[in-house]
Amino acid sequence: MTAAQTMLDLDGDPLPHAFRPWFDKRGWAPHVHQLEMIEVARHGHPALLVAPTGAGKTLAGFLPSIDGLLRAAHDGLHTLYISPLKALTVDVHRNLLQPIEELGLDITVETRTGDTPQGKRTRQRIAPPNMLLTTPESLALLLSYHDAPEIFGNLKRVVIDELHALIGTKRGDLLSLNLARLSALAPQVVRAGLSATVADPAAVAAYLSRFGTADDVRIVRGPPGPKPEIGILDTAGRLPWRGHMALHALPEVYDLIKRHGTTLVFVNTRAQAELVFQGLWQLNDETLPIAVHHGSLEREQRRKVEAAMARGDLRAVVATSSLDLG
């Protein structure tokens, strides 16, 4: 019997009662690791969830927050969600609002990124939502304000998504400083990390810990993911000596797009994204819906592409790292 099964047997069904109809309506059942994250949070322990893509990590990170908000009324900011990408923050916001609105829960959720209008930023400082979804850089700005103690003083949880992508980077160092500052402003705050499968979960847990050790962090493991299918695209054209923009391989890339439902074509730079996008449209004799996504596009255009991709309306998106990490 696993530790998760033991806790479930002792405490019964930990899923917030208000959330059960949402699962039942879809014929779903919560994963064991999602229930375990709720139990760990109820006991006040920091947690690291290690699970593959598609295992419901993000919902597992938010269920304890919803559980806490349903158990006790809370004014102001309760949970701070941090992700490496603005696009991921917006996607999570959209997915999180769906069950909250369908169930009529009195929980407010907002995003705070470089795309947030100034008026909304000012209002969030005066009347913050229950859950605020942001990035390391935007959090650093919030913490620099003179009223940061009022904004974060009653904070209960911090959820860090895609934690493995931040560790060992300058952004990860910035996030460490942010977390230390939050611990000073809100000593009661409990941290939770969400990560894809990693070779050394203890090292990730030590990063997450307030004390630099994995001993105080509960490591929760999700199910094993499917084995990836890895291949190298063979092209008819020869690789050019210079100007490696992948344009020589576009006929084969377009053929893959035609044979699959949704394809993400990742490239290194914004200029390469535009060139590959134009090249694919020159080959697109079937007028398949293909879009481009990178950081230089207007916010409205990026949001339109992200929403269309989430609905399954696009056959392909040519993107830089602005659309990476799930």
Side-chain angles (χ1 to χ4, degrees):
M1 181 177 291
T2 66
Q5 290 171 330
T6 301
M7 282 194 288
L8 295 183
D9 290 341
L10 289 174
D11 297 342
D13 184 2
L15 186 70
H17 180 70
F19 236 78
R20 178 60 66 181
W22 188 76
F23 277 90
D24 293 342
K25 180 180 178 181
R26 288 160 174 75
W28 295 353
H31 294 295
V32 171
H33 61 273
Q34 292 174 331
L35 300 178
E36 188 174 357
M37 288 291 287
I38 299 173
E39 286 287 359
V40 171
R42 285 182 182 175
H43 288 85
H45 300 301
L48 169 65
L49 173 58
V50 179
T53 299
K57 290 194 300 295
T58 304
L59 183 59
F62 279 110
L63 280 174
S65 297
I66 295 172
D67 178 61
L69 286 164
L70 293 176
R71 283 170 168 263
H74 185 92
D75 292 330
L77 187 58
H78 178 282
T79 295
L80 186 67
Y81 167 89
I82 306 168
S83 77
L85 293 177
K86 290 186 290 185
L88 182 57
T89 299
V90 173
D91 187 57
V92 169
H93 178 253
R94 179 173 55 248
N95 293 335
L96 184 60
L97 278 182
Q98 182 181 4
I100 289 176
E101 291 177 348
E102 287 184 9
L103 296 172
L105 303 181
D106 186 19
I107 296 174
T108 54
V109 185
E110 295 180 1
T111 62
R112 169 71 177 238
T113 69
D115 290 336
T116 304
Q118 183 59 45
K120 187 175 182 180
R121 297 185 194 185
T122 302
R123 197 265 303 151
Q124 286 174 343
R125 292 171 60 181
I126 301 172
N130 298 135
M131 299 184 186
L132 185 63
L133 286 56
T134 188
T135 61
E137 291 77 13
S138 291
L139 175 58
L141 287 174
L142 275 170
L143 289 170
S144 71
Y145 296 145
H146 68 87
D147 53 352
E150 287 73 34
I151 299 172
F152 298 104
N154 203 26
L155 184 68
K156 302 299 182 185
R157 297 190 77 236
V158 175
V159 181
I160 308 168
D161 205 353
E162 305 291 353
L163 186 55
H164 59 281
L166 291 166
I167 295 178
T169 68
K170 292 181 179 179
R171 301 184 75 203
D173 295 340
L174 174 64
L175 179 58
S176 291
L177 294 173
N178 292 344
L179 293 174
R181 177 63 174 153
L182 284 173
S183 294
L185 296 176
Q188 74 282 353
V189 72
V190 177
R191 302 175 183 178
L194 313 176
S195 175
T197 50
V198 290
D200 189 0
V204 181
Y207 172 93
L208 182 67
S209 169
R210 293 178 61 175
F211 310 103
T213 173
D215 296 340
D216 67 319
V217 178
R218 301 292 178 89
I219 299 178
V220 179
R221 298 179 185 273
K227 293 184 178 180
E229 297 181 10
I230 301 175
I232 297 177
L233 181 65
D234 190 17
T235 63
R238 294 177 60 86
L239 181 68
W241 284 104
R242 63 179 182 178
H244 296 167
M245 290 290 186
L247 301 182
H248 69 287
L250 291 188
E252 288 79 10
V253 172
Y254 181 67
D255 184 61
L256 286 175
I257 292 172
K258 289 194 295 183
R259 292 191 280 116
H260 292 83
T262 301
T263 302
L264 297 180
V265 183
F266 283 113
V267 296
N268 292 326
T269 66
R270 300 171 185 182
Q272 188 179 14
E274 291 288 350
L275 288 171
V276 170
F277 173 66
Q278 294 174 18
L280 286 174
W281 266 104
Q282 291 174 0
L283 297 169
N284 193 11
D285 51 4
E286 297 185 20
T287 62
L288 301 177
I290 300 174
V292 64
H293 189 289
H294 57 71
S296 291
L297 294 174
E298 292 291 334
R299 179 185 63 182
E300 291 75 13
Q301 180 63 27
R302 283 184 278 119
R303 297 292 177 267
K304 183 178 179 180
V305 172
E306 292 160 15
M309 185 181 68
R311 293 193 304 267
D313 293 343
L314 297 177
R315 291 292 296 274
V317 181
V318 182
T320 61
S321 58
S322 64
L323 203 60
D324 203 349
L325 300 172

